[in-house]
Amino acid sequence: MVTLAHRLRRVAIVFASILGTAYIILVLIALLNYNPRVKIGMPIIVDDAELPGAGTRCKMDPDLGPVKVDIYTKPCMEELERMNPEIQAGGAWKPPNCQSWQKVAIVIPYRDRLGHLKILLRRLHPMLRKQQIAYRIFVVEQAGTDQFNRGRLMNIGYAEAMKEDNFDCFIFHDVDLIPEDDRNVYLCDDQARHLSSAIDEMRYHIMYYNYAGGVIALNRQNVLKVNGYSNDYWGWGNEDDDFSARTLAAGLMLTRPPEHIGRFKMVRHLKADRSNHGNSYFFTWRSRWKNDGINAIKELNYKVVEKTDLPVFTNISVDIGHPPDEKTWNERNKNQESVTML
């Protein structure tokens, strides 16, 4: 006769087995996801370092910290001007009493998100001034009604920004992500610095270790080393995966701030249509990343429709061309797949 004690013992054994199995699975997942090319930490900034003939570099304010972010109230442009009287036309600023560590270009790919843009600008300008960074904000606006091409806009933003100044650092910034901590310094290191390491929509965790979307900073040399972004992802999705793969192929690490510092809020909006061919095209990244990027910008024959130095940002409206038709796309993808298999 099975006693109650025996039944309880069996239940305890089964329960312990389940817990043990779950623990082993979690350990295996952690091991499989471990990536030695991802490094968590803050950029190294040496206080009191002097530049020859340029005075003393700017120091970070030790009192920087988290701030309360409003993603619902949308300011008007006049309010943004009143809040930022020090900003020069085109959305530029530099510290008046010291030399910034880098000249930083913020590149924001954009279309039909004016409310998001105003919320982001309200946050970025005061934060960057607190960080004592010399910067300029470029909003690269896609003209027309074709599917959005984020990667192409990023590359054009780089090319157009370099016509304005010899920037050291480029921060490619989604318009709907608002930084929550002033300690998340908008500077580049010698790797690919992924600033948005914790987004509220993802419960403040990274989507996956190699994720490089949202907000990412690269110095000028590394932008060229990875050949920027692919020009051929029309619609939402996969251009970030392609970019991450490029950084890997170029031998760059992904560096990130700790999750409690790299926090961002995402302004709520309807999701855009996914790319019809994004997944299949991503699988061909290795055969084309050295030719499909910034070095192919001139071949795109993009046209700057209008370039305006507005009070709080530089607006660059561009005609970036049209996506290929279905037949052309299928032929191109087939050719790339053939090259990949060789």
Side-chain angles (χ1 to χ4, degrees):
M1 181 176 179
V2 179
T3 64
L4 178 60
H6 287 152
R7 291 178 179 177
L8 291 175
R9 190 179 300 117
R10 288 178 182 176
V11 171
I13 293 172
V14 171
F15 186 67
S17 299
I18 293 173
L19 286 178
T21 302
Y23 177 78
I24 292 172
I25 291 173
L26 289 173
V27 170
L28 288 174
I29 290 174
L31 290 173
L32 290 172
N33 278 293
Y34 173 71
N35 194 325
R37 84 178 191 107
V38 176
K39 182 179 179 181
I40 307 300
M42 300 301 290
I44 298 173
I45 298 175
V46 182
D47 289 334
D48 299 325
E50 291 191 357
L51 292 174
T56 305
R57 289 184 190 256
C58 299
K59 298 178 182 178
M60 295 292 109
D61 186 341
D63 295 327
L64 295 181
V67 298
K68 186 176 181 180
V69 171
D70 178 7
I71 62 172
Y72 300 104
T73 306
K74 301 171 185 176
C76 63
M77 284 298 176
E78 292 76 13
E79 182 181 351
L80 290 175
E81 291 181 50
R82 289 194 300 269
M83 292 170 60
N84 300 283
E86 309 94 338
I87 303 302
Q88 299 174 356
W93 183 84
K94 63 180 181 180
N97 301 316
C98 59
Q99 178 150 343
S100 176
W101 287 83
Q102 297 167 351
K103 288 183 182 178
V104 178
I106 315 287
V107 177
I108 304 172
Y110 171 83
R111 186 171 66 184
D112 298 333
R113 295 277 182 85
L114 183 57
H116 295 52
L117 179 60
K118 292 176 180 177
I119 292 171
L120 178 59
L121 292 173
R122 177 178 61 194
R123 175 73 183 108
L124 280 185
H125 279 301
M127 183 188 80
L128 294 172
R129 292 201 304 273
K130 289 178 186 176
Q131 295 178 355
Q132 295 286 290
I133 292 173
Y135 70 92
R136 183 168 177 176
I137 296 178
F138 296 88
V139 176
V140 190
E141 180 179 14
Q142 180 174 332
T145 58
D146 284 316
Q147 282 184 302
F148 196 62
N149 191 320
R150 180 172 171 269
R152 192 170 290 200
L153 292 174
M154 299 285 206
N155 290 340
I156 293 171
Y158 171 86
E160 292 299 317
M162 286 301 294
K163 294 177 183 178
E164 299 295 325
D165 204 342
N166 194 31
F167 290 100
D168 306 299
C169 173
F170 288 81
I171 297 180
F172 301 103
H173 205 303
D174 282 357
V175 73
D176 57 356
L177 290 180
I178 316 299
E180 297 185 50
D181 199 310
D182 290 337
R183 293 171 295 178
N184 196 1
V185 182
Y186 272 41
L187 291 174
C188 291
D189 56 19
D190 292 331
Q191 307 298 326
R193 183 152 185 81
H194 187 218
L195 295 169
S196 51
S197 60
I199 300 174
D200 66 336
E201 193 175 68
M202 303 174 192
R203 298 185 179 183
Y204 290 114
H205 292 293
I206 202 70
M207 189 182 298
Y208 48 88
Y209 278 117
N210 280 325
Y211 179 63
V215 184
I216 191 160
L218 284 90
N219 64 36
R220 182 175 63 250
Q221 294 78 15
N222 283 337
V223 173
L224 297 177
K225 190 174 184 179
V226 303
N227 198 18
Y229 285 78
S230 169
N231 294 303
D232 289 333
Y233 287 96
W234 295 88
W236 176 78
N238 294 108
E239 75 280 352
D240 288 331
D241 299 324
D242 189 294
F243 183 79
S244 178
R246 290 164 182 249
T247 64
L248 176 63
L252 298 181
M253 295 180 65
L254 280 177
T255 64
R256 296 190 177 109
E259 287 186 348
H260 71 281
I261 290 178
R263 291 166 67 97
F264 283 74
K265 285 191 181 296
M266 179 178 286
V267 184
R268 304 299 181 252
H269 57 84
L270 295 175
K271 301 299 183 184
D273 295 334
R274 282 195 68 89
S275 171
N276 294 331
H277 306 278
N279 288 328
S280 59
Y281 197 61
F282 169 63
F283 292 131
T284 67
W285 72 268
R286 192 178 297 276
S287 64
R288 56 179 168 74
W289 75 274
K290 292 184 179 180
N291 300 310
D292 169 24
I294 282 179
N295 61 2
I297 278 291
K298 292 182 179 179
E299 300 172 11
L300 299 177
N301 295 319
Y302 74 88
K303 179 182 178 182
V304 176
V305 178
E306 186 177 11
K307 190 171 187 177
T308 311
D309 290 346
L310 297 172
V312 289
F313 66 94
T314 299
N315 188 75
I316 306 172
S317 178
V318 289
D319 179 352
I320 64 172
H322 306 283
D325 57 36
E326 193 72 16
K327 181 179 179 181
T328 304
W329 181 270
N330 288 335
E331 289 177 354
R332 179 189 299 176
N333 211 25
K334 185 177 180 180
N335 292 335
Q336 291 292 346
E337 288 175 352
S338 299
V339 173
T340 302
M341 293 175 64
L342 294 177

